[in-house]
Amino acid sequence: DGGITQSPKYLFRKEGQNVTLSCEQNLNHDAMYWYRQDPGQGLRLIYYSQIVNDFQKGDIAEGYSVSREKKESFPLTVTSAQKNPTAFYLCASSIVPNTEAFFGQGTRLTVV
Amino acid sequence: AQTVTQSQPEMSVQEAETVTLSCTYDTSESDYYLFWYKQPPSRQMILVIRQEAYKQQNATENRFSVNFQKAAKSFSLKISDSQLGDAAMYFCAYRSAYGGSNYKLTFGKGTLLTVNP
C-alpha cells in the first residue's frame, strides 16, 4: 500500500540529547514537509523540501535540522538547541505542483 | 504572509443534525487552494474537501460541503447529517497556487467538533 510512514510512534529522550524522527513515503511525491503540533497552536511548519538535496526553513526551524538525500526519505533531527521539543510531529508529502498534502500518523516526542 | 483564522475553538452538534465550521483567511494572491482536514483521536490527518479559488462552484463531498466566499475571504465547512464518527479536530488550510516557497500549507488553529448522540 502507498503511503507515508513515520517511526517510531512514541519517542522518549533525555534533555540535551539529539533525536531523529523518521519519515518515509512510497507515493513518488516530490515535496515533503515537517509540521509540529502543540495544543491550541494548530500545525506549524518546521522544514520543507521540494526536491532531493534541497530544503527550506519553515516558520519554526530553530533547533531542528533535516536532510533529503533520497526522494523517499526526509528525516528530522531535533537537536539539544530546541528549547521545547516535547510535541507531536507530523510528516507530509505532496506532488508538486499539485495541491493537497498527505500525512503520516505522527510521532509523539517526549523529552524528560 | 498568508494567515488562516478559525474563530470557533469548539463546536458541538447533535447526531443527524447539521453544523457549520467557520474559516477566514488573509491573502493578497488571486489564485490559491483551500482545504479542510479532519484529525480524529487517532491524530491521523485526513483530507475532507478542497476548493480551488478560481472555481466559483462550491465543492461537495457526500455530507461535506463548503461555502466559499472569495471576496469575503471566507471558507466555511458544512457537515450534514452529522455522525458520531465526525467527531474530530477540523483544520482549515491555505495553499498558494504559485511556485517556490509558496507551496507550503498554512493551517488555522483548529475547531474541535463534538457529536452528541
Side-chain angles (χ1 to χ4, degrees):
Chain A
D1 289 337
I4 302 173
T5 302
Q6 289 186 242
S7 61
K9 190 171 183 179
Y10 299 97
L11 190 54
F12 295 87
R13 278 294 182 271
K14 291 185 178 179
E15 193 172 337
Q17 291 181 335
N18 291 353
V19 60
T20 297
L21 282 59
S22 170
C23 179
E24 303 277 333
Q25 55 99 357
N26 60 4
L27 300 168
N28 200 33
H29 286 173
D30 291 308
M32 297 187 75
Y33 313 82
W34 274 105
Y35 286 89
R36 170 177 171 145
Q37 186 176 21
D38 297 284
Q41 292 287 334
L43 276 71
R44 294 182 290 169
L45 183 65
I46 304 172
Y47 268 98
Y48 62 102
S49 167
Q50 296 189 65
I51 195 169
V52 174
N53 293 322
D54 186 51
F55 48 83
Q56 288 81 40
K57 292 182 179 180
D59 301 317
I60 55 165
E62 186 176 350
Y64 299 97
S65 66
V66 294
S67 63
R68 186 87 187 275
E69 297 177 1
K70 298 186 300 181
K71 188 175 185 178
E72 301 80 16
S73 179
F74 191 41
L76 173 74
T77 297
V78 184
T79 74
S80 56
Q82 168 51 230
K83 298 273 189 267
N84 297 296
T86 295
F88 186 65
Y89 292 88
L90 282 160
C91 179
S93 71
S94 67
I95 300 172
V96 176
N98 207 328
T99 59
E100 62 261 37
F102 296 88
F103 285 81
Q105 293 189 316
T107 293
R108 172 69 183 178
L109 172 65
T110 302
V111 175
V112 295
Chain B
Q2 294 82 20
T3 58
V4 177
T5 302
Q6 294 179 248
S7 59
Q8 307 152 317
E10 297 183 26
M11 292 280 286
S12 64
V13 63
Q14 290 296 126
E15 196 176 3
E17 294 190 348
T18 296
V19 65
T20 299
L21 308 184
S22 300
C23 173
T24 58
Y25 57 95
D26 185 26
T27 184
S28 59
E29 298 175 333
S30 59
D31 198 12
Y32 48 86
Y33 302 91
L34 296 165
F35 308 90
W36 278 99
Y37 280 88
K38 169 184 176 180
Q39 188 180 42
S42 68
R43 305 199 78 171
Q44 174 77 54
M45 293 285 284
I46 302 165
L47 178 67
V48 174
I49 200 165
R50 76 178 205 188
Q51 173 80 44
E52 291 88 346
Y54 63 86
K55 290 186 177 179
Q56 294 185 343
Q57 187 173 8
N58 289 325
T60 62
E61 285 288 342
N62 302 315
R63 297 182 295 107
F64 298 88
S65 61
V66 298
N67 183 4
F68 173 50
Q69 301 289 329
K70 191 172 184 180
K73 296 180 182 176
S74 171
F75 182 61
S76 61
L77 175 70
K78 185 171 84 171
I79 306 175
S80 303
D81 186 26
S82 297
Q83 301 176 359
L84 294 177
D86 295 333
M89 183 72 85
Y90 286 82
F91 291 97
C92 178
Y94 171 103
R95 185 177 201 173
S96 172
Y98 303 99
S101 63
N102 294 319
Y103 278 132
K104 65 179 184 180
L105 276 168
T106 300
F107 286 85
K109 293 187 176 182
T111 296
L112 180 63
L113 178 66
T114 302
V115 181
N116 301 309

